[in-house]
Amino acid sequence: MEPGNQTGISEFILLGLSEEVLLQPLLFWIFLFMYLVTFIGNLLIILAIITDSHLHTPMYFFLFNLSFSDMCFTSTTIPKMLWNIQTQSQIITYEGCIVQMYFFMLFGILDSILLTIMAYDRFAAICHPLQYMIIMNPRFCGFLLLTSWLVSVLDSLLHGLMILRLSFCTKLEINHFFCELYEVVQLACSDTFLNDLMIYFASGVLVIVPFTGILFSYSKIVSSILKISSTRGKYKTFSTCVSHLSTVSLFYGTSLGVYLSSASTQNSRATAVASVMYTVVTPMLNPFIYSLKNKDIKQALKTLFSRETFSV
């Protein structure tokens, strides 16, 4: 490849999931459907929590924020993808690419931290039931949320600033349907050692540490559940964790799957297709997981719909 070092580039080319022209309309309608389901599903969870006073608890406070984060996470990539398919354009401006990367990382990291906090919430509720409301008091919940936002914003900002120091080659094609950090770094002509180091370090800290926290919380939860004498009591206690555990499994399972697929193949297009699982499918399924497996959310949604029907 000819170096063609450029510091003042104006745009990148997103190659998308497929270059087959006949597949583009099908991809448009599939992703439009998934985006609408994701947005409406998470919006309903948010409205149910706002309107039902019984859900004004720490657990649902963080679920509210997770649903909001999922809506934003999906909105950073899919609308631009749909626009490009509809206009038959693969271009994203340099500034647009930086902004997309920033918000994609921000809400992805926020999701990971919120899931960890929700695991701690279940740990406090099950292992320390008498002190639960003292531990998870409003001030502490606000502190946890503020910390999760600060960490997400600062990490995303640091990655964004480090991208700005890079100069890029004349080959500006990104083998993805959005500006994925690693793919963009690979296009740089200048030295990317610090960027690569930061990517691996941040991935280790902001993925492994939260995941370890979740495993620790659930090890304590399982230990407490096993001490319950009755089978019914064990089932009832564990059922309060099912929704969260399903979401964690989906989030980390799909993320790990994408990582392993990218490590085992040099085909960036295959990695882009695999990444659809955690960028679109996981946020889309979360509202179904919480509405189908959680009786409180299910009841709140019924109340919300009956209220709307009555008002009409």
Side-chain angles (χ1 to χ4, degrees):
M1 181 180 68
E2 184 182 339
N5 197 352
Q6 296 183 22
T7 55
I9 63 166
S10 60
E11 61 191 30
F12 291 101
I13 298 173
L14 297 172
L15 296 182
L17 296 174
S18 174
E19 293 181 342
E20 290 289 335
V21 177
L22 295 177
L23 279 179
Q24 300 309 306
L26 178 62
L27 288 174
F28 177 86
W29 289 110
I30 288 175
F31 278 88
L32 177 62
F33 173 76
M34 289 195 293
Y35 178 67
L36 290 176
V37 170
T38 302
F39 197 91
I40 294 171
N42 283 288
L43 182 61
L44 288 174
I45 295 291
I46 290 173
L47 292 175
I49 294 172
I50 291 174
T51 56
D52 193 329
S53 59
H54 295 96
L55 301 183
H56 295 174
T57 63
M59 173 183 172
Y60 294 108
F61 170 71
F62 291 114
L63 176 59
F64 172 96
N65 284 278
L66 181 67
S67 294
F68 174 76
S69 179
D70 278 344
M71 287 170 60
C72 296
F73 183 59
T74 309
S75 296
T76 60
T77 57
I78 303 306
K80 176 58 179 173
M81 176 190 179
L82 295 175
W83 174 261
N84 281 1
I85 293 175
Q86 188 67 15
T87 59
Q88 298 182 357
S89 170
Q90 296 178 309
I91 292 173
I92 183 170
T93 63
Y94 175 77
E95 294 80 6
C97 188
I98 298 296
V99 170
Q100 187 182 66
M101 271 192 297
Y102 173 78
F103 283 107
F104 179 81
M105 288 185 289
L106 191 158
F107 291 112
I109 296 165
L110 187 60
D111 265 10
S112 178
I113 299 175
L114 286 174
L115 287 173
T116 308
I117 295 173
M118 292 170 76
Y120 178 76
D121 172 81
R122 291 299 82 209
F123 159 74
I126 293 172
C127 300
H128 305 284
L130 298 180
Q131 292 84 35
Y132 174 65
M133 292 310 297
I134 298 174
I135 296 172
M136 301 300 291
N137 61 77
R139 180 176 293 182
F140 184 57
C141 289
F143 169 76
L144 290 175
L145 181 63
L146 179 62
T147 302
S148 63
W149 272 97
L150 282 175
V151 171
S152 303
V153 167
L154 291 175
D155 180 72
S156 304
L157 183 61
L158 183 57
H159 280 297
L161 291 174
M162 291 186 70
I163 287 290
L164 293 177
R165 59 179 281 275
L166 299 176
S167 52
F168 293 88
C169 307
T170 52
K171 181 178 172 60
L172 300 172
E173 295 179 344
I174 300 174
N175 285 308
H176 223 298
F177 62 94
F178 66 94
C179 285
E180 200 270 334
L181 176 63
Y182 184 74
E183 291 287 337
V184 174
V185 170
Q186 296 307 301
L187 296 178
C189 291
S190 52
D191 181 34
T192 62
F193 174 76
L194 288 177
N195 295 79
D196 292 332
L197 184 65
M198 181 60 190
I199 290 173
Y200 291 121
F201 176 77
S203 298
V205 173
L206 297 174
V207 176
I208 295 175
V209 172
F211 186 64
T212 303
I214 292 172
L215 290 179
F216 175 79
S217 295
Y218 272 102
S219 68
K220 294 294 184 181
I221 289 171
V222 171
S223 178
S224 295
I225 290 175
L226 291 175
K227 293 176 183 178
I228 300 174
S229 55
S230 68
T231 304
R232 182 179 177 84
K234 290 179 180 178
Y235 174 79
K236 186 176 180 181
T237 304
F238 183 71
S239 65
T240 63
C241 303
V242 171
S243 297
H244 177 259
L245 195 56
S246 301
T247 302
V248 168
S249 301
L250 195 60
F251 181 83
Y252 282 101
T254 53
S255 300
L256 181 62
V258 171
Y259 174 78
L260 292 176
S261 68
S262 62
S264 62
T265 179
Q266 298 298 316
N267 190 339
S268 298
R269 187 62 61 80
T271 303
V273 173
S275 69
V276 171
M277 288 300 297
Y278 76 89
T279 57
V280 185
V281 177
T282 299
M284 180 182 71
L285 293 180
N286 283 348
F288 292 99
I289 291 172
Y290 276 96
S291 60
L292 294 176
K293 295 182 178 293
N294 188 300
K295 290 189 291 185
D296 294 332
I297 290 290
K298 194 182 298 184
Q299 183 58 45
L301 287 171
K302 287 180 181 178
T303 304
L304 179 65
F305 282 122
S306 62
R307 187 180 300 171
E308 290 296 323
T309 303
F310 182 76
S311 63
V312 173

